[in-house]
Amino acid sequence: MRRFLPSILFYSLFSFYSIISHGQERCGTVIYENQLRSKNPSRGTTEQFEHWMNQQQFQQKLNSSQERIMGATYNIPVVVHVLYNTTAQNISDAQIQSQIDVLNQDFNRLNADAVNTPSEFLPVAGSININFVLAKQDPDGLPTTGITRRNVTQSGFYFRTDDVKIKSNDYWPSENYLNIWVINFLDQFLGYAQYPVGSGLSAGLTGDEPSSPSTDGLVIKYTVFGTVDAGNFSLDSRWNKGRTTTHETGHFLGALRHIWGDDEFDEDKCAGTDYVADTPNQSISYNNVCPSGQQISCSKSNMYQNYMDYTNDACMNLFSQGQVSRMVTVLANSPRRVSLLTSPGLLPPSNLATDINLISIDSPSPVFCLTSTAPVIAVKNVGSDVVKSFKIISTINGKSTVQIISGLTLSSGEQRQFTLQNSNFTVGSNALSITVSEPNGFTDATPSNNTRSLNLVVNTSTDIIPLRQNFDGSYDKDWIIISQGKAKKWTSIASNKNLSLAFSAFADAVIGEESWLVSPTLNLSKNSKASLFFDVSYATHGSASDELKVLSSTDCGLTFSKAEYDKSGEELSGLISTSSWAPTTDKDWTREYINLTSLTGNDKTRFAFVFTNGNGNNLFLDNIEFFTDDNADPVKVDAPYSIYSSSSEFNITFNLSERQDVRLQIFNMIGQVVVDHQLPDILNQTYEGDLRLQTSGLYIVRMQIGNQFYSTKVLVNH
């Protein structure tokens, strides 16, 4: 009975802890990881990762390298992105530095409260020689404090839906930086992290590129970031020693699991595991409490002092040696964790006196019509000296030319466009790479930001409007699909509209990827009015950052200078889907309209449909249709035409499957021809008829469309 009674009391206390902590969820990592896997099946399962972890740890022991690795020093560059809407959310540099200090103390077991570790756990208490450093140079090789700040319009963010929206603010490449976004959560969460991925897990254990690089990092609530031990910071009294960030960094560095095995909702609450032998199994988390003395569950003393439990900050004080071993394995083998250790962000820029940055290639755009044109680039002087000259190497399809720009006065911090000498391209695909170097004749300080490359297509196809493209037949000679690098592209997919173009964003974790669909060059010189319609189908899934733009060019695609249409997320659709989206009914589509009259009179007009990936959901595009009118609500008719009249006037609205000439004749009732017109390039236009000069009576409208003849009676009543 003596052993049974404490057990009853223990479970009563757990019930109490669970009740008082229901309103606060300390960590969202498990939920977040499940979301990533549901959208990116190639990410791999927990079982696959743990198999990889066991293999790596076995190999380390086999090579007698574990002890050597355990003694290594791991320097990790950190960038803290502060997203704030109020002054309170814009936390100070001192508060940020206090959090970096906490990380270094906790992981190295230099924390003052390490003396509070119970004696039974002292033999397994572990430390890892990690040095977290605020980054010293940014991705462009410029000096940085390792802190970025952005004033955002929303008062805060929701954990389940705003991940991409959060991380699209000031993301730095995750292979070189530990990104930490400090925000205000509008729900009950305090933080979450992205687990590391074992090499090869991203493609069913066959590939090397891990998924989700652009969302990799930590997200922490601003009221739990830092410690009151270092200053009078406004922190939550329960979580005011920086241990939330320590906890999430444990997830990030070692795929450390919650110490109770996340089995609190299972029938057997002792069935779960954190895959670490020296952390005793326990039946539930200690959330929002700081217990004292020995606590027992699953027939073992609970290590509630572990950073991977949910206790209040003052209660936490150790990682175990088994947890440290996992972090060592990850830092030695997981692709985006290994690369952190040699990141240029750890070192200050070597020499900033002469340093230029190739910001962008502004012209030509990805699809244009000329085989000879002068590229336009944007260059910025990021050094301290005035740049008077620099060298440009342009490489097109493997052939390089050199050009020297001289006679400049490009001040420090100044950015300017430069038009290069004419370059020759071939019709079809081209590879363009431009490198700037040798400012003032000296070696550039940071050559990593000196080169830009583009895949280009020279397409000389021309057309006129009206025009319709529904992607059911052959279109790829005139309409060009192009993306840069290994980015995904628009693809032809079966839908309830037969075949549509789609961008599969649901499973694409690479934020910011673009795919272009570019029209042939359209001659609008003879048009006084014009409009564009297209169908789009999209359903939001959490993030609202997927974006569709329609860009216009008046120089056949050399530059696309204007966005005629730009919508993202919920603007694209009022539909919501928790799974990979595909339209099944006409109600799943939206018809969009753009007035193009401002572009008429130009003979070199081109349009680009550009999708930018936010890993939200799939977007479908179909029935792109150009009209020679600017009516936002044209008459909808069945093929091939419809006639509707009023007194002495009548209209014929056409709806032909393809553009063709139509012969229009009108006969009076005695068989005389009163109208005989040849209507060129008819597709979807409305023809206005006028019989005011004719007498009242019945008339026959006769049309020849291709080899078919049609007749319709029209009554004229003046």
Side-chain angles (χ1 to χ4, degrees), residues 25-41:
E25 186 68 36
R26 182 159 195 176
C27 172
T29 296
V30 174
I31 299 172
Y32 178 65
E33 184 68 16
N34 289 337
Q35 288 178 342
L36 284 180
R37 285 174 179 158
S38 70
K39 296 182 69 172
N40 306 293

Side-chain angles (χ1 to χ4, degrees), residues 510-580:
V510 185
I511 309 302
E513 281 191 346
E514 285 187 352
S515 185
W516 287 52
L517 168 69
V518 184
S519 74
T521 299
L522 302 180
N523 185 352
L524 305 183
S525 62
K526 297 180 181 180
N527 300 106
S528 59
K529 296 180 180 179
S531 58
L532 166 63
F533 289 80
F534 60 92
D535 293 339
V536 63
S537 181
Y538 178 81
T540 57
H541 179 267
S543 166
S545 62
D546 292 326
E547 183 180 25
L548 178 65
K549 292 184 289 187
V550 179
L551 308 178
S552 63
S553 168
T554 56
D555 53 16
C556 80
L558 283 176
T559 58
F560 284 87
S561 56
K562 184 181 178 184
E564 305 289 345
Y565 171 99
D566 188 352
K567 290 187 179 181
S568 60
E570 294 177 357
E571 294 178 296
L572 286 166
S573 167
L575 302 174
I576 298 174
S577 176
T578 59
S579 59
S580 182

Side-chain angles (χ1 to χ4, degrees), residues 9-10 13-14 16-18 20 26 116 118 121 238-239 282 284-296 301-306 309-317:
L9 291 174
F10 169 75
L13 283 171
F14 263 138
F16 173 70
Y17 295 157
S18 179
I20 65 173
R26 182 159 195 176
N116 296 331
F121 298 138
R238 296 161 293 181
W239 304 293
Q282 61 189 54
I284 201 167
S285 65
Y286 289 83
N287 194 4
N288 197 13
V289 295
C290 190
S292 61
Q294 187 183 44
Q295 303 288 332
I296 299 175
S301 294
N302 294 161
M303 191 187 286
Y304 59 82
Q305 303 86 357
N306 194 281
D309 205 333
Y310 271 7
T311 46
N312 294 351
D313 280 12
C315 234
M316 294 179 164
N317 55 56

Side-chain angles (χ1 to χ4, degrees), residues 246-261:
T246 299
H247 176 104
E248 301 303 341
T249 306
H251 286 313
F252 175 86
L253 284 182
L256 301 187
R257 317 290 171 170
H258 293 138
I259 196 170
W260 67 94

Side-chain angles (χ1 to χ4, degrees), residues 658-676:
E658 60 183 15
R659 194 172 55 214
Q660 56 190 301
D661 294 345
V662 172
R663 185 179 184 185
L664 169 65
Q665 293 176 301
I666 302 178
F667 299 86
N668 61 22
M669 292 308 295
I670 62 174
Q672 293 176 319
V673 177
V674 297
V675 172
D676 191 347

